[in-house]
Amino acid sequence: MNKFLTLALIAFTFACKSPEARRPISVKSGSFIDASVERNKKLNAREQALIEKFMTQKQENDYIASESGFWYFYNTKTDIDSLQTPAFGDIVNYDYDVKTLNGSTIYSFAELKTRTYTIDKEELFTGLREGLKLMKAGETVTFLFPSQKAYGYYGDENKIGSNTPLMCKVTLNSITKTKDD
């Protein structure tokens, strides 16, 4: 009986050990993300160089770097300070075309027709959405968008390919202010 009690005590001691953490079957590293970041940095640098080359070839324009990561110049500028730029919810009426940086037309003014857009309430590619907010009624501005501000990796699944920097000439016809209480 004494042996049985000792054996039961030893078995009970080893049976009550604390649980161990399970190890993952596969270990994932950040190598995919690191590689993706590196690819995007190279793509961004390449597009930056293309846009800078374009700007040095066309020095007759006064280029402005936006806070949003694209460049633009005024074809027609309104110097009337009383005119306002559109704000959230305002409705804008505009015309635009889309070209490659070498000047090849992708979509003409006639193809795209006059558009109406409610600021920040409808779908529009990032660069144009931000660009319209910089304009006053009656102005025409040419924007130079790197691909991440245009149609990015997927393009428009029609005429604009993957990772294509774009040049868009935009005329803002009117701004209809809305009241948000």
Side-chain angles (χ1 to χ4, degrees), residues 48-138:
Q48 176 86 12
L50 281 172
I51 291 172
E52 286 175 3
K53 180 180 176 186
F54 175 87
M55 291 189 294
T56 56
Q57 290 173 346
K58 307 278 185 184
Q59 291 183 353
E60 67 271 8
N61 302 312
D62 293 324
Y63 296 96
I64 301 166
S66 75
E67 293 178 7
S68 300
F70 57 85
W71 295 262
Y72 63 100
F73 65 89
Y74 288 92
N75 302 84
T76 306
K77 184 172 174 61
T78 304
D79 290 323
I80 302 170
D81 290 336
S82 63
L83 294 178
Q84 296 180 346
T85 57
F88 179 82
D90 291 346
I91 299 168
V92 295
N93 179 280
Y94 66 98
D95 293 290
Y96 76 114
D97 70 356
V98 179
K99 296 180 179 179
T100 62
L101 290 182
N102 67 13
S104 299
T105 300
I106 300 172
Y107 294 109
S108 68
F109 285 104
E111 281 179 276
L112 294 173
K113 299 183 176 59
T114 299
R115 304 274 175 126
T116 301
Y117 168 68
T118 305
I119 298 292
D120 292 335
K121 289 189 173 185
E122 296 177 45
E123 287 293 318
L124 193 62
F125 72 88
T126 307
L128 187 55
R129 183 174 61 235
E130 296 301 320
L132 286 168
K133 293 179 196 176
L134 300 172
M135 299 176 70
K136 296 176 184 173

Side-chain angles (χ1 to χ4, degrees), residues 133-154:
K133 293 179 196 176
L134 300 172
M135 299 176 70
K136 296 176 184 173
E139 291 183 329
T140 300
V141 176
T142 298
F143 294 99
L144 305 174
F145 298 121
S147 65
Q148 68 268 20
K149 291 293 176 182
Y151 287 91
Y153 178 75
Y154 294 104

